[in-house]
Amino acid sequence: DVKVTQSSRYLVKRTGEKVFLECVQDMDHENMFWYRQDPGLGLRLIYFSYDVKMKEKGDIPEGYSVSREKKERFSLILESASTNQTSMYLCASSFPEAPETQYFGPGTRLLVL
Amino acid sequence: AQKVTQAQTEISVVEKEDVTLDCVYETRDTTYYLFWYKQPPSGELVFLIRRNSFDEQNEISGRYSWNFQKSTSSFNFTITASQVVDSAVYFCALSPGMDSSYKLIFGSGTRLLVRP
């Protein structure tokens, strides 16, 4: 079974704080993704990575950065959290043979005060 | 434009009823994939099905069935004899073309509530 884990289920941070969201997958997947989910908007892609140290912007990268130092770990960084980044964040990974079929972690619900 | 539309925001049914969740997509690509995911209250998206654009055969898996019609750009999902455990948010998604094969474009989701 594919296992994608995220470091926290719930986080509360203050405006201006630097926030790290961690994602780990145990299936040796090359591709990893970060999405945010907001009511009425579905999931929107923030960044994805197709290899260690490789990254590409998704549809809404502003205000975020990412880090992929090891294959199994993909971190999402909010350099200076703002209230409009309050959201559910979902990490996903996929097999290289079927990069479009993504497997998701449980999500981190972030509240920025 | 690449887009997925799930016009039904919320559906409520009584247990054992059949229910169909609609999904309409837009893409200019001839090669693409379509997906359905289930998000139960726990939050994790669960992969249900992947269908490629060249395969219009309908698929049945237990109580779940999918109807893919290219002519109407639709990929609808039917749950037969619904159960309370089917209560979740369901997302339809599109992976458009070979150049963007990493990307999934999601619809806004349909919340299904199955009442006992």
Side-chain angles (χ1 to χ4, degrees):
Chain A
D1 266 1
V2 176
K3 190 74 175 169
V4 180
T5 56
Q6 294 182 230
S7 51
S8 307
R9 292 302 305 270
Y10 301 94
L11 267 183
V12 180
K13 296 291 181 182
R14 298 225 170 258
T15 303
E17 277 192 74
K18 190 168 185 174
V19 181
F20 291 87
L21 303 182
E22 305 284 340
C23 175
V24 177
Q25 49 90 6
D26 65 358
M27 287 300 292
D28 204 33
H29 289 173
E30 258 113 24
N31 306 318
M32 297 187 74
F33 308 82
W34 274 106
Y35 294 86
R36 67 176 279 176
Q37 180 183 0
D38 300 289
L41 297 176
L43 278 74
R44 293 177 293 167
L45 182 65
I46 305 171
Y47 267 97
F48 68 96
S49 169
Y50 49 89
D51 205 346
V52 174
K53 296 194 188 296
M54 307 301 283
K55 61 186 179 186
E56 280 199 32
K57 292 180 180 178
D59 299 316
I60 51 164
E62 297 78 19
Y64 303 95
S65 62
V66 289
S67 171
R68 184 110 181 255
E69 296 296 320
K70 292 185 178 181
K71 195 174 187 180
E72 67 271 17
R73 189 179 296 271
F74 191 34
S75 303
L76 180 69
I77 304 156
L78 287 64
E79 295 289 343
S80 177
S82 63
T83 54
N84 63 12
Q85 292 178 310
T86 291
S87 188
M88 170 76 126
Y89 290 87
L90 288 152
C91 176
S93 67
S94 65
F95 292 105
E97 296 81 15
E100 68 289 329
T101 303
Q102 297 176 22
Y103 296 89
F104 285 81
T108 296
R109 197 169 288 281
L110 173 66
L111 173 62
V112 182
L113 300 173
Chain B
Q2 322 271 14
K3 191 179 173 183
V4 175
T5 301
Q6 295 179 255
Q8 304 150 309
T9 306
E10 192 163 319
I11 301 175
S12 180
V13 299
V14 176
E15 209 170 15
K16 296 195 174 75
E17 280 186 37
D18 298 347
V19 58
T20 295
L21 310 182
D22 297 333
C23 173
V24 173
Y25 62 93
E26 291 176 37
T27 180
R28 287 196 210 98
D29 295 317
T30 54
T31 301
Y32 52 89
Y33 292 95
L34 295 164
F35 298 82
W36 277 96
Y37 284 86
K38 174 182 179 180
Q39 187 178 41
S42 59
E44 183 171 339
L45 263 77
V46 178
F47 167 76
L48 295 178
I49 189 171
R50 179 186 85 170
R51 177 51 51 89
N52 77 52
S53 52
F54 298 109
D55 182 4
E56 282 194 77
Q57 198 167 7
N58 290 334
E59 181 152 343
I60 298 174
S61 175
R63 296 184 298 107
Y64 294 172
S65 62
W66 291 270
N67 181 6
F68 176 29
Q69 292 202 341
K70 264 175 131 167
S71 59
T72 55
S73 297
S74 65
F75 186 43
N76 296 338
F77 173 30
T78 298
I79 302 174
T80 304
S82 59
Q83 299 176 2
V84 172
V85 293
D86 296 327
S87 296
V89 180
Y90 290 87
F91 290 96
C92 180
L94 164 72
S95 180
M98 301 303 287
D99 291 340
S100 306
S101 60
Y102 299 98
K103 292 187 70 171
L104 280 179
I105 297 165
F106 283 86
S108 55
T110 297
R111 182 177 298 277
L112 174 65
L113 176 63
V114 181
R115 307 186 311 272

